[in-house]
Amino acid sequence: MGSAFGLLWLFTGFLQGVHGQGVYAPPTAQIVPSGQTCNMEEERHTERVYAIREGETLELQCLVTGHPRPRVRWTKTDRQGESYPHNETLRIETISRHQGGRYYCKAENGQGLPAIRSIRVDVYFLDDPVITVHQSLGEAKEQFYFERTVFLRCVSNSNPPVHYTWRRGREVVSQSSDSGVEIYEPFFTQGETKILKLKNLRPQDYADYTCISSVRNVCSIEDKTAQFSLSNRTAPPSIKLLVDDPLVVNPGETITLVCAAAGGDPSPTLSWVRPGGEELPKRSTAKGGTLSVPAVTTEDGGAYSCVASNNVGNPAKKSTTVLVRGLRKGRFWITPDPYHNDDNIQIGREVKISCQVQATPPEELQFSWLKNGRPLRSSERMVITHTDTDVSPGTTNLDIIDLKFTDFGTYTCVASLRNGGIPEISIDVNISSTTVPPELTVPRGRSHLITQEGDTVDLQCLVSGKPKPIILWSRAEEGGTAALMPDGSAQVESYDGVLRISNVTRDMSGTYRCQTSQYNGFNVKPREATIQLVVQFPPTVEPVYMEVRQALGRAFSLTCRLLRAHPARLLRYEWKLGSRLLTVGQLGDQQDETYYNVRALNREGYGEYTCDITNEAGAGRCTFLITGKAYAPEFYYDTYGALWQNRPRVYGFKLQWTQMKPNIVDRILAYRLGIRQMGQSRWWEQEIPIEGTIKNGELLTYNLTELVKPESYLVRLTPITRYGEGDATERIITYSAPVNPHLREFQCGFEDEALCLFSQDKTDDFDWTRHSAASRDTKYTPNTGPSSDHNGSKQGFYMYIETSRPRLEGDKARLLSPTFNTNSKTASASSSSSSSSSSVANHPTYCFAFFYHMYGKHIGALNVFLRQKGQTVTETSVWSLNGNQGDRWRQAKVNIHPTSAFQMVIEGVRGSGIEGDIAIDDVTIEEGECKNPPPNNLRSLASPSSPHIWQLSVTIILALIGRQR
């Protein structure tokens, strides 16, 4: 049957409302690993540990129940509190060891407390082991005895903890078999290191050693090995540098650093590193002991170390320093006569000119002085001195003693490197009658600046004097504490006295200080001034946006709240509906919110309401969208038996939902139901009329029929009110019923979480539990329950009743099968006097079979009922057994003769103690009578219409079995 045919008959269902069901329910959650696991441990349902091998894919599912459908969020406990996508499946491909830890699934739906479940993920790994060799040399006082002890240390990172084995040649080395050997673990390594100590080295100790690291095949991780050949030549590495130290080069040159191994057995490996973990230059190339760096820059200067390692003793290391020649940061300052309390330069007094340059290498720095372009030499009145470059950056001073009119002129300080190759730096300083110390002022009206967020503002300090010094800008917060400048630095230099700040923010408000620097000016007490910057910003309000849903005729109020603003006085507000002005006003000094009230909403009252609160810097806006749209429907996912068989090629689905906040807006008149087959684009739609008012929490049901197997469908449900369409909700319906295409056989091994659509009876005392022998905890009741599923697999699943506390004797757990329709072969008898046997003959016979495990001294009873759904629901007992049946799986088969839609009910009854777990597996329903019944099959000996005779027959058979035993 094609999909189009199924869609033509899609909406033949019916709508019904179920009142008082209490379907709103808080969330529950369960974490289920859906990928392959190495090991799964569970300690009384509280501590779940999931082990996975590094590099594999972690997949965890958070199975949730509750209504409305809970939202799921995954988080992981670690320093970062890492969070993951908001869906029910957490998937991490190529998991690494650092991603192990505790993962939390949090499900919440606004009903009660969120459900939180956790699982600990252990990532298993085993790194290659590394053998290092250490030697100890000692000498006795008499010098007649020489002892040499060797330690072989094996290290391998792993999870779980690694186990080490040593071999000499092909033989395992053990402490007990060789008195010259000790094997131990230092306590400070937490079991990660195994040391083989060879005492008083003997000739037989020179051999090939193998360290085998193992995690005992956990997660199928194979053992790993490392080898070392110990000989009388074994020695730690030594190296020599084949390069000058320091190595002085000009910018742009290519440097080549070379080191060579001077000793060591086995031959050491060589590598170059920079101190502090700093990376090598990106354009550099390293090959063994040779490192080449083309086109060096000043940033490439510094220390470089060559490291040699052969796993014997400690690595050898030698360093050299690369100096990239250069001059930078030339500055000068003028110091008036220090013996007079005057900052001016005066005839007859002393004046000092200082010049400073940073040089690499500093010992190559040389200075010369010129006056008006002619060389100047040191004399009694013109004293030239130089500071020690090893103590501070290179500085030269020119002291002019007893300043004369003829000394006025331009003095030039020239800095260069002794060996040339680098451009020199020249600094001119003019000394004249106009050379005066600086004065600093703020332009009139510029000491208090008001600006607005987003603007560009210039802070200006006027500086006079000759020469004009550098201006240093800094910032202080309220209270005088230092604050960072807008660019994040502590100070900003300015040569023109202007500090420009672009895109000003409110955080940049504060006091800014400008002061003269000694550089490029007089070395006198700094002159300074301050500027107060005030940044105005528009009001910040809440809510920025809110949707409000209201029914016609109702009253409501809107509130716009002021959070902060500058200036915060004389604030105006203005309410509008669309472009229509509603009201205006001014906020009082102590007022931080404004209201707008609607007494009775009419159709013209729907729309977008805005409230603007305004100050000099702009406006902050609250926006409210008033609609009559109905909220979204809430699909009910926890429906038992929502999927059922209709005919061999089609299936049906019971679609159930509640309406979110149905009383907020006008009455819902109908729902628009849309459905399309997955993978296709065509939608089919139909309106479902609603009579009366939907109550809060009312469960609505609509049956979808003629869905084509095994296709999935996307369903969309949209509520409709007088206002129009409301919010739509979508869900996917997937065909998953475990029934074959011919509807002649039903099979269920409980291998998936869906349980083949079996469900728990809500009227019983407790529930059946799905488990596997690999994950079930039998520590508390070890003498009960199966050790594997029916097929002998410890990984396979089955259903069982857990009879431990708080269960009491007689408590019942009932498991309901999906609902099945009978496949009538002939028309029912027309005569009202038709016999019971005739009625049975008109309906097919089915064979209901299952495997059971009833082992334990406190086993209660296992009962099977046929539940039929006619005008009333009836249950008929068709099979029963009680007591200990031994530690093995047995099969039961029984013929049933349903006359209408039916379910099978499997009931487990708790016995007198905790050793009474009953399990079932591999349930089948097959059309036709049972074939090859088991030896202890308890089939009916009479017509199914005579249940009392059937129960008597079961009792007789049990008695006969007891006698045979």
Side-chain angles (χ1 to χ4, degrees):
M1 181 183 297
S3 59
F5 182 86
L7 284 169
L8 288 174
W9 296 94
L10 202 55
F11 301 111
T12 57
F14 62 93
L15 179 72
Q16 60 179 0
V18 182
H19 298 272
Q21 294 295 310
V23 292
Y24 283 118
T28 68
Q30 179 184 6
I31 297 178
V32 177
S34 53
Q36 294 295 322
T37 176
C38 309
N39 186 32
M40 185 77 179
E41 300 175 6
E42 191 160 354
E43 180 68 20
R44 301 194 71 177
H45 308 287
T46 57
E47 175 73 0
R48 305 187 72 201
V49 183
Y50 176 70
I52 188 172
R53 184 172 176 170
E54 187 173 45
E56 295 183 348
T57 298
L58 172 69
E59 191 168 299
L60 301 175
Q61 281 190 311
C62 188
L63 303 180
V64 296
T65 66
H67 187 69
R69 184 71 165 177
R71 299 177 302 278
V72 173
R73 182 186 181 195
W74 285 95
T75 56
K76 176 174 177 283
T77 304
D78 56 14
R79 293 176 185 173
Q80 292 79 27
E82 192 170 359
S83 61
Y84 296 88
H86 293 247
N87 51 45
E88 295 180 9
T89 300
L90 171 66
R91 182 180 175 87
I92 301 176
E93 296 185 0
T94 318
I95 193 169
S96 69
R97 64 194 65 183
H98 308 295
Q99 292 173 301
R102 180 163 294 283
Y103 287 83
Y104 289 87
C105 156
K106 180 180 181 180
E108 53 187 338
N109 65 353
Q111 304 290 323
L113 296 175
I116 301 176
R117 294 293 179 268
S118 69
I119 187 169
R120 197 178 83 223
V121 175
D122 263 0
V123 181
Y124 286 168
F125 61 92
L126 175 62
D127 291 343
D128 291 326
V130 176
I131 296 177
T132 57
V133 179
H134 304 269
Q135 301 178 24
S136 162
L137 297 177
E139 203 167 347
K141 292 180 181 179
E142 296 83 2
Q143 297 186 357
F144 296 139
Y145 176 73
F146 185 76
E147 177 187 317
R148 191 178 185 209
T149 299
V150 172
F151 301 88
L152 275 71
R153 182 192 302 260
C154 187
V155 180
S156 180
N157 294 322
S158 75
N159 182 35
V162 68
H163 172 75
Y164 297 96
T165 305
W166 283 99
R167 292 181 183 272
R168 179 194 284 133
R170 296 184 178 180
E171 297 181 356
V172 175
V173 180
S174 63
Q175 191 164 321
S176 58
S177 62
D178 190 338
S179 59
V181 171
E182 284 186 12
I183 300 177
Y184 63 95
E185 293 179 354
F187 71 94
F188 54 84
T189 61
Q190 299 180 352
E192 294 179 353
T193 304
K194 198 73 161 183
I195 294 181
L196 176 67
K197 180 181 179 182
L198 306 175
K199 301 180 296 183
N200 190 17
L201 203 61
R202 304 161 300 177
Q204 62 264 35
D205 293 329
Y206 295 122
D208 293 335
Y209 290 87
T210 303
C211 171
I212 304 169
S213 60
S214 173
V215 289
R216 303 168 184 83
N217 203 37
V218 169
C219 250
S220 301
I221 298 177
E222 297 180 351
D223 297 351
K224 297 191 176 183
T225 62
Q227 293 183 329
F228 189 90
S229 296
L230 184 66
S231 71
N232 56 5
R233 300 182 305 278
T234 298
S238 61
I239 53 175
K240 57 183 178 181
L241 286 179
L242 306 180
V243 65
D244 294 337
D245 183 29
L247 179 63
V248 181
V249 296
N250 287 329
E253 293 182 351
T254 296
I255 62 171
T256 302
L257 308 179
V258 181
C259 72
D265 189 287
S267 297
T269 57
L270 303 173
S271 62
W272 283 93
V273 297
R274 298 195 72 176
E278 186 178 351
E279 292 184 356
L280 294 172
K282 291 184 178 180
R283 60 193 178 283
S284 65
T285 57
K287 186 176 181 181
T290 302
L291 174 70
S292 295
V293 184
V296 294
T297 64
T298 54
E299 287 76 17
D300 299 329
Y304 290 78
S305 299
C306 179
V307 180
S309 176
N310 67 349
N311 290 348
V312 179
N314 295 319
K317 182 178 181 181
K318 285 194 174 182
S319 302
T320 186
T321 301
V322 175
L323 299 178
V324 182
R325 301 174 74 243
L327 298 171
R328 63 189 184 92
K329 210 169 188 181
R331 298 177 180 274
F332 77 90
W333 58 92
I334 302 170
T335 307
D337 191 339
Y339 300 105
H340 295 82
N341 190 19
D342 192 344
D343 292 341
N344 289 288
I345 297 174
Q346 297 185 22
I347 298 293
R349 294 186 181 176
E350 180 181 340
V351 63
K352 179 192 290 186
I353 306 172
S354 300
C355 177
Q356 184 183 83
V357 173
Q358 292 185 359
T360 304
E363 63 271 13
E364 285 193 25
L365 176 64
Q366 58 185 12
F367 287 105
S368 61
W369 284 91
L370 306 175
K371 179 184 178 183
N372 297 329
R374 295 182 178 181
L376 186 67
R377 287 185 171 84
S378 185
S379 64
E380 290 184 358
R381 242 178 22 87
M382 298 280 185
V383 181
I384 298 174
T385 57
H386 305 295
T387 60
D388 187 353
T389 55
D390 292 337
V391 176
S392 63
T395 304
T396 182
N397 301 302
L398 172 62
D399 274 292
I400 305 175
I401 299 171
D402 188 15
L403 183 70
K404 299 181 182 300
F405 181 79
T406 57
D407 294 330
F408 288 160
T410 298
Y411 292 84
T412 304
C413 160
V414 180
S416 62
L417 292 181
R418 189 169 297 118
N419 295 322
I422 298 298
E424 62 186 20
I425 292 179
S426 296
I427 302 171
D428 293 334
V429 183
N430 187 266
I431 301 295
S432 69
S433 58
T434 61
T435 303
V436 293
E439 292 297 331
L440 192 65
T441 59
V442 177
R444 187 173 181 179
R446 302 285 294 176
S447 61
H448 188 88
L449 296 180
I450 297 176
T451 187
Q452 295 182 359
E453 272 194 323
D455 290 348
T456 296
V457 63
D458 288 338
L459 280 62
Q460 185 178 16
C461 286
L462 299 177
V463 59
S464 63
K466 188 176 181 180
K468 187 180 292 185
I470 295 173
I471 301 299
L472 295 180
W473 287 93
S474 58
R475 180 182 169 208
E477 293 178 337
E478 292 185 10
T481 58
L484 295 178
M485 296 292 287
D487 67 354
S489 61
Q491 285 184 326
V492 174
E493 289 185 350
S494 167
Y495 289 86
D496 60 359
V498 175
L499 175 67
R500 171 163 291 184
I501 305 175
S502 301
N503 194 21
V504 177
T505 67
R506 64 193 69 181
D507 300 328
M508 296 177 185
S509 295
T511 301
Y512 288 79
R513 180 175 61 242
C514 61
Q515 67 181 49
T516 59
S517 167
Q518 67 166 347
Y519 303 123
N520 293 15
F522 276 68
N523 182 22
V524 294
K525 183 179 180 180
R527 278 59 165 165
E528 63 179 44
T530 59
I531 298 175
Q532 188 71 30
L533 179 64
V534 177
V535 180
Q536 295 182 341
F537 54 90
T540 303
V541 296
E542 68 174 10
V544 174
Y545 179 84
M546 176 184 289
E547 183 180 13
V548 180
R549 307 194 186 204
Q550 286 290 336
L552 289 171
R554 294 188 184 172
F556 63 92
S557 178
L558 304 177
T559 303
C560 184
R561 183 173 297 104
L562 172 69
L563 299 179
R564 53 191 170 274
H566 190 84
R569 301 185 64 184
L570 302 176
L571 295 169
R572 290 175 52 81
Y573 63 82
E574 182 178 270
W575 284 92
K576 287 183 177 181
L577 171 56
S579 60
R580 179 162 61 94
L581 182 64
L582 300 175
T583 182
V584 296
Q586 184 171 313
L587 291 181
D589 290 343
Q590 303 299 320
Q591 188 178 357
D592 61 359
E593 55 189 14
T594 173
Y595 307 90
Y596 185 74
N597 298 312
V598 176
R599 295 182 179 178
L601 180 64
N602 55 29
R603 288 191 176 276
E604 290 72 26
Y606 286 125
E608 187 174 88
Y609 291 72
T610 57
C611 172
D612 290 337
I613 299 181
T614 310
N615 67 359
E616 296 176 22
R621 171 170 287 187
C622 296
T623 300
F624 304 87
L625 180 62
I626 310 300
T627 78
K629 289 175 61 176
Y631 283 95
E634 304 159 318
F635 280 120
Y636 189 59
Y637 284 80
D638 298 342
T639 306
Y640 293 112
L643 199 70
W644 76 91
Q645 308 307 310
N646 194 2
R647 291 198 301 277
R649 296 183 182 178
V650 297
Y651 68 100
F653 188 87
K654 181 186 292 185
L655 193 68
Q656 292 186 298
W657 72 93
T658 57
Q659 177 60 45
M660 182 191 302
K661 301 179 181 178
N663 301 320
I664 294 295
V665 296
D666 288 329
R667 185 179 73 83
I668 293 174
L669 305 175
Y671 284 94
R672 175 167 289 110
L673 174 65
I675 187 167
R676 69 174 174 85
Q677 189 172 308
M678 299 299 291
Q680 298 188 5
S681 58
R682 185 177 182 184
W683 283 87
W684 297 79
E685 292 188 340
Q686 173 181 325
E687 280 199 3
I688 306 173
I690 299 294
E691 299 294 336
T693 301
I694 299 175
K695 296 181 175 59
N696 190 46
E698 180 178 353
L699 187 62
L700 304 172
T701 299
Y702 189 83
N703 288 334
L704 302 175
T705 61
E706 307 294 329
L707 304 179
V708 179
K709 295 179 189 177
E711 304 297 336
S712 298
Y713 293 86
L714 179 63
V715 176
R716 178 192 297 155
L717 203 58
T718 309
I720 302 172
T721 64
R722 288 189 295 170
Y723 180 83
E725 292 191 354
D727 291 340
T729 302
E730 293 182 348
R731 71 165 296 181
I732 295 176
I733 294 169
T734 303
Y735 176 75
S736 60
V739 179
N740 72 5
H742 303 293
L743 253 183
R744 298 189 178 276
E745 183 178 353
F746 170 89
Q747 295 178 334
C748 184
F750 304 110
E751 294 304 319
D752 59 55
E753 288 286 337
L755 302 181
C756 318
L757 300 181
F758 270 85
S759 59
Q760 309 283 354
D761 190 339
K762 294 185 177 180
T763 64
D764 58 10
D765 302 307
F766 66 109
D767 288 342
W768 288 79
T769 304
R770 175 178 173 266
H771 252 308
S772 68
S775 60
R776 184 178 165 219
D777 186 358
T778 58
K779 176 165 47 173
Y780 300 99
T781 54
N783 299 315
T784 184
S787 57
S788 67
D789 73 352
H790 154 244
N791 295 312
S793 169
K794 290 188 178 296
Q795 305 299 326
F797 285 87
Y798 53 83
M799 301 294 289
Y800 85 106
I801 61 169
E802 174 57 67
T803 56
S804 302
R805 295 180 181 86
R807 300 277 66 84
L808 301 174
E809 184 174 3
D811 281 359
K812 296 177 180 178
R814 290 164 60 87
L815 193 66
L816 309 180
S817 77
T819 300
F820 299 95
N821 293 323
T822 59
N823 185 15
S824 300
K825 295 179 179 177
T826 60
S828 58
S830 58
S831 171
S832 60
S833 60
S834 297
S835 65
S836 174
S837 60
S838 171
S839 177
V840 170
N842 289 336
H843 292 85
T845 298
Y846 294 92
C847 178
F848 178 69
F850 61 96
F851 286 86
Y852 61 90
H853 189 284
M854 301 171 67
Y855 169 57
K857 61 183 179 181
H858 301 135
I859 290 292
L862 180 61
N863 305 315
V864 178
F865 300 92
L866 172 65
R867 173 186 284 189
Q868 300 193 70
K869 298 181 178 181
Q871 293 183 347
T872 60
V873 176
T874 60
E875 280 191 10
T876 306
S877 176
V878 295
W879 189 93
S880 181
L881 188 62
N882 56 39
N884 185 0
Q885 303 298 315
D887 188 9
R888 64 170 178 159
W889 287 95
R890 300 169 181 264
Q891 188 180 32
K893 290 185 177 182
V894 60
N895 291 325
I896 57 173
H897 305 275
T899 59
S900 62
F902 69 95
Q903 286 177 287
M904 301 306 298
V905 183
I906 303 175
E907 179 184 83
V909 183
R910 200 260 198 187
S912 59
I914 63 173
E915 294 184 25
D917 297 347
I918 299 174
I920 59 170
D921 199 4
D922 291 334
V923 177
T924 61
I925 299 177
E926 189 174 1
E927 191 171 341
E929 295 212 0
C930 295
K931 301 174 183 177
N932 303 318
N936 62 339
N937 184 45
L938 305 181
R939 288 183 295 171
S940 172
L941 300 181
S943 166
S945 60
S946 309
H948 300 293
I949 300 176
W950 184 89
Q951 292 172 358
L952 178 61
S953 304
V954 171
T955 306
I956 296 172
I957 292 174
L958 286 173
L960 292 173
I961 293 173
R963 286 187 181 180
Q964 291 173 356
R965 292 180 180 172

